[in-house]
Amino acid sequence: MSIPSRLGLLRDPDFGRLFAATALGQLGDRIIFLALPLVAIVALNADEFQVGLLAAMTTAGSLLVGLPAGAWVDRMRKRSVMISIDFARAVALLTIPVAWWSELLTIWWLYAVALVHGVLTVFFDVAYVSYLPHLVGRGNLVEGNSKLSAIRSVASIGGPGMAGPLVGWLGAPVTLLVSSAGMAISGLLATGIRKREQKPEPSEHPQLLREIKEGLKFVLKHPVLRAIILGDAIFNLFLVMYQTMLLVFLEREINLESFGIGLILSGMGCGALLGALWATRVSKRVGQGPVIWLAPLVTCPLTVLMPLAHPGWSVYVAALGLATLSLGGVIRFVAQSSLQQTLTPDRLLGRMSATARFVSWGGIPLGGLLGGASGSVFGAKATLWIGAAGMTLSTIPYFLSPLRSMRGLPRKEIPSSCAEVYDG
């Protein structure tokens, strides 16, 4: 597929529908990011550890079903998986305002919904990453990932910006109705995508463990893919520690209202949008590999501005540091996602994505727990310092790998088996 236009892939109707579905789904997801912890903090008066445990439940699905999800998704049509999951997540989120109105909502209810939503999201994300090469072709992966990252970034701006006033007006539990609607409409839009994959050929003797092992072997023996997921694992662990206490710090130590918190999170979305718009240009200028380690090395240290902040103007200076972190994060994400998809044969895309998610996201629940425990013992401010230091150190695995000097996407033929891996 080659579409010589300033709109590029957006001229393709099917990509346009995926683009619109992504926008609404991500808008709902960004509202969840602010509203769900605020339900615990404000509506249920949860303490620091309970907020950390809620964050852990949200991402525990990567550990529970991360590896088998890839093998299962590789057996199914990815588009159908995405549609079904969107509707299921909409229903799960809808139970929170219903329970609130019925006076049945407890912290345990939030834990359960967060866990179910997280497990469903694992399947959705694995299918999403695996479907894109089929939809746009491998030659358009950088553009496709960049445009989808751009609309996710716009949702990151609009989501918290909407969520702050909505939480203040309707209350955090009722605000989740908007998230539920976004997920449902996203699923409806995806049903309009006409380009469908052929159903994968069923194996004569399907063996889940053997299929999981094949995906693990391919990723862990590949020097580039291995470095990416290890760096991601370290970054995500400390990012979640940081994020878990960020809302607590802003709400309880800086005394910001929900609208002010929403503005700061929207600022992070602005940084992410700039990153998506600049990702292709920066990758070409710096190099596909070097940008993956340079982006976090330059931007992560700026997160120390937040624990240095006090009520007043310094909080918004610190918010610029968080916006820069988002900018670098999206540039890195677009570069490494395109690289991962390019290096992986079609039949292993689901398992590659699931393996990468299992390893790189596996520490996220632990990060939530550690963030909550650290916040309880040392306080929210000290936890922000720890998170900032850890995120900066995540660049080490990238730098010590072939990514250090890899200027562009590899041109060699994509391996047909996990034995034929790129050697850097």
Side-chain angles (χ1 to χ4, degrees), residues 9-10 12-26 78-79 82-83 86 124 127-136 144-145 147-149 151-152 185-195 341:
L9 288 170
L10 288 175
D12 179 69
D14 282 340
F15 183 80
R17 292 183 183 96
L18 179 65
F19 186 84
T22 299
L24 285 166
Q26 286 295 309
K78 280 68 175 179
R79 172 184 167 278
M82 292 160 54
I83 293 168
D86 263 343
F124 181 90
Y128 188 89
V129 171
S130 306
Y131 184 63
L132 187 62
H134 168 79
L135 184 66
V136 304
N145 281 313
K147 281 184 165 57
L148 291 173
S149 292
I151 196 60
R152 282 195 292 265
I185 299 172
S186 172
L188 287 172
L189 285 169
T191 61
I193 297 176
R194 291 170 295 182
K195 188 173 183 180
Q341 291 162 333

Side-chain angles (χ1 to χ4, degrees), residues 48 245 248-249 253 371-386:
E48 286 83 355
M245 286 299 105
V248 175
F249 177 77
E253 297 194 31
S374 176
S376 297
V377 176
F378 304 114
K381 181 181 292 189
T383 304
L384 295 183
W385 278 102
I386 295 169

Side-chain angles (χ1 to χ4, degrees), residues 52 84 109 137 151 163 177 189 195 237 248 293 314 332 352 357:
S84 301
W109 193 297
I151 196 60
L177 279 174
L189 285 169
K195 188 173 183 180
L237 172 70
V248 175
W293 64 268
S314 63
R332 174 179 63 87
M352 177 280 294
R357 187 185 177 98

